[in-house]
Amino acid sequence: MTRKIRRLLVTVLAVLLLGGCWSYRELDETAWVMALGIDKGRENLLTVTAQVAVPKAIAGGAGGGGVGGGGGGGGNQTVSTVSMDAPTLLSALELLNAFFDRRADLSHAKIVVFSRDLAEEGLGDLLAPLARFRQFRRTTAILIAQERAEKLIKEINPILEDNPVKFYELLTGGWKYTEFIPYDTFYELYNNSKSYGISPVAVLAGLQEKEKGPPDPTYKPKGSYIAGHIPRTGGVKLELMGGAVFRGDRMAGTINGDELGIVKMLRGDMKHTIISAKDPRHPREFIVVRVTPRQAAEVRVDPAEVPRVTAVIRLEGDILSIQSGEEYDSPARIPELERAVEAMLQRDAARVITRAQQDFRADIFGFGEKAKKHFPTWQAWTGYDWHNRFPEAEISVIIDFKVRRIGLLHETVPVRR
């Protein structure tokens, strides 16, 4: 037998051995966990809520049964939701196998919800096991619930989707369409909680409040709310709006939708937003513009004894509405409109920077990531101790907005009143 033939036989044998399924598991023997909720425990250290897909209901269509609630997964429910008390998160998954006829698997989990109480005590001990667990995907979205995570997950009842996977993907993917939801996955939260140059901002979630206060029909910016407090009726009970600010692995507070928009502009995560700026000539009227980034924010950091930060946010936009009928769409008047939008965003930027420095003492903008390039070694950078210097930093943010398109109207003609 020639050497060439021997090599060929060895290669064929190796291919046959490598092609085997050594650890396969039948799909119809697996309980796919779609969502996890983690709270302080009642009968143990943690209460873990698991939402498990019911494949036969998803395949056949729920017929109006929806995703919500559900103890046993019968009828038209597309998921079965159960809560267990256990000492650790992963031990709760093993406990799930004691009363589910299929083996629990996290490979398709789309969201993990932590209660605010738990987040304020610190999530480090809960995030670390997930980072090591081979079933868990780091692209999974992390939500911080205003109430118990158990309650939030059981109250979710989608209207437009029967497939829970699709619902959670579309819901958490809303960061691409609105400034009100941060881009936050397990990867970002886990890495940023250990970073020397940036602090995490997680998605803030809440259930629609049932009790409404007295009517107050005065002007409020559209992004002045946080999850659980949006003035609305109807629809899905779950709300995502604003961010949960962390210092390290501990939650330090919340920011509303408008403040989060500035954070996303500085981080480079914002895709577009719609701004209703007060008309400079008619304070009771509004100019509505669609705003998108013109380029990434330009951030310069001077890491002196007292750090100095200068950030320039360059934006562009389209005119959507001029309620007063003023001719702001004429070339001579466009700069006046641009200054009105810049002034509004400048106020939002000043407010969120003050809160980040004074209330949270956390660099949620990632300025430290720009500062560290000035240090020749890792030891020099960590020794600078950015997080303790950030609250005293001198920060200047400049908004530069340009109108690119004026919409489908050639000119504005005032409405007769």
Side-chain angles (χ1 to χ4, degrees):
M1 184 182 294
T2 65
R3 180 179 299 178
K4 195 172 190 179
I5 295 176
R6 286 198 300 269
R7 287 179 178 176
L8 179 61
L9 289 175
V10 170
T11 302
V12 171
L13 182 60
V15 169
L16 292 175
L17 291 174
L18 292 174
C21 296
W22 301 103
S23 60
Y24 79 96
R25 189 189 312 165
E26 295 291 348
L27 295 179
D28 59 2
E29 295 177 0
T30 305
W32 302 107
V33 178
M34 301 290 98
L36 279 175
I38 307 171
D39 298 289
K40 290 183 180 179
R42 297 188 183 93
E43 303 294 335
N44 211 318
L45 296 180
L46 298 175
T47 295
V48 179
T49 302
Q51 198 173 72
V52 182
V54 181
K56 62 180 181 180
I58 297 173
V67 173
N76 288 327
Q77 295 293 341
T78 57
V79 297
S80 175
T81 305
V82 297
S83 295
M84 308 149 284
D85 281 64
T88 63
L89 170 58
L90 297 183
S91 64
L93 291 180
E94 185 175 7
L95 190 61
L96 191 64
N97 295 321
F99 51 90
F100 257 81
D101 54 340
R102 300 185 181 190
R103 184 179 173 185
D105 193 291
L106 288 182
S107 298
H108 291 283
K110 294 300 176 183
I111 63 170
V112 177
V113 184
F114 294 97
S115 68
R116 180 168 181 166
D117 290 344
L118 210 55
E120 289 175 342
E121 291 186 359
L123 299 181
D125 293 341
L126 298 171
L127 296 176
L130 291 174
R132 192 181 296 271
F133 192 42
R134 64 184 181 88
Q135 286 183 6
F136 188 76
R137 302 188 185 194
R138 294 195 173 199
T139 54
T140 302
I142 303 297
L143 277 59
I144 307 300
Q146 297 273 47
E147 50 278 298
R148 281 184 67 85
E150 176 185 9
K151 179 181 179 182
L152 185 139
I153 288 179
K154 289 183 177 180
E155 290 285 339
I156 296 175
N157 188 20
I159 296 173
L160 303 180
E161 298 293 337
D162 292 330
N163 188 333
V165 173
K166 189 69 172 178
F167 170 72
Y168 291 129
E169 283 182 347
L170 292 175
L171 183 71
T172 56
W175 68 270
K176 293 177 287 189
Y177 315 115
T178 175
E179 64 174 328
F180 301 146
I181 303 174
Y183 173 64
D184 181 68
T185 62
F186 176 87
Y187 178 84
E188 274 72 29
L189 180 63
Y190 182 65
N191 280 2
N192 291 348
S193 67
K194 300 186 295 180
S195 171
Y196 286 89
I198 188 171
S199 295
V201 179
V203 180
L204 188 65
L207 293 173
Q208 180 183 12
E209 60 181 352
K210 296 179 181 179
E211 298 297 329
K212 300 293 182 181
D216 180 18
T218 57
Y219 165 73
K220 304 169 191 67
K222 74 181 192 312
S224 60
Y225 307 100
I226 60 175
H229 300 282
I230 300 176
R232 68 182 181 101
T233 58
V236 180
K237 293 183 180 180
L238 177 63
E239 299 175 354
L240 303 184
M241 188 167 190
V245 175
F246 282 76
R247 181 175 171 84
D249 70 333
R250 294 175 182 269
M251 180 176 168
T254 62
I255 54 177
N256 65 29
D258 285 336
E259 293 167 341
L260 179 60
I262 298 296
V263 175
K264 292 179 69 173
M265 289 178 191
L266 289 167
R267 285 189 173 195
D269 297 333
M270 195 196 78
K271 302 299 182 181
H272 76 88
T273 186
I274 294 177
I275 291 177
S276 301
K278 283 192 173 184
D279 190 315
R281 295 173 181 255
H282 304 270
R284 297 173 65 91
E285 307 285 352
F286 294 93
I287 303 168
V288 184
V289 293
R290 180 180 182 271
V291 176
T292 58
R294 197 158 85 235
Q295 63 184 65
E298 180 184 341
V299 179
R300 298 186 298 274
V301 181
D302 177 12
E305 185 67 26
V306 176
R308 291 188 294 274
V309 180
T310 303
V312 181
I313 301 176
R314 294 183 171 89
L315 307 168
E316 64 183 28
D318 308 343
I319 300 175
L320 302 181
S321 172
I322 303 174
Q323 293 181 350
S324 65
E326 290 280 351
E327 296 182 8
Y328 291 118
D329 51 359
S330 66
R333 302 285 297 280
I334 283 178
E336 191 174 354
L337 184 154
E338 293 171 342
R339 301 296 84 77
V341 174
E342 289 174 352
M344 181 177 179
L345 293 175
Q346 202 77 53
R347 288 191 294 270
D348 291 341
R351 184 172 65 250
V352 71
I353 287 172
T354 298
R355 296 195 66 203
Q357 290 188 287
Q358 297 181 6
D359 298 346
F360 313 133
R361 301 179 65 83
D363 177 13
I364 55 180
F365 314 103
F367 294 148
E369 295 297 301
K370 305 293 183 180
K372 70 180 181 182
K373 67 181 181 181
H374 295 281
F375 296 85
T377 65
W378 178 253
Q379 290 75 15
W381 163 238
T382 57
Y384 183 69
D385 195 11
W386 169 259
H387 284 304
N388 282 324
R389 292 178 185 266
F390 169 76
E392 308 303 324
E394 299 174 359
I395 301 175
S396 173
V397 174
I398 301 168
I399 306 293
D400 179 13
F401 172 71
K402 301 297 181 186
V403 172
R404 290 301 182 209
R405 290 159 290 272
I406 64 170
L408 298 180
L409 295 180
H410 180 265
E411 60 183 352
T412 298
V413 178
V415 176
R416 289 190 300 170
R417 300 183 184 275

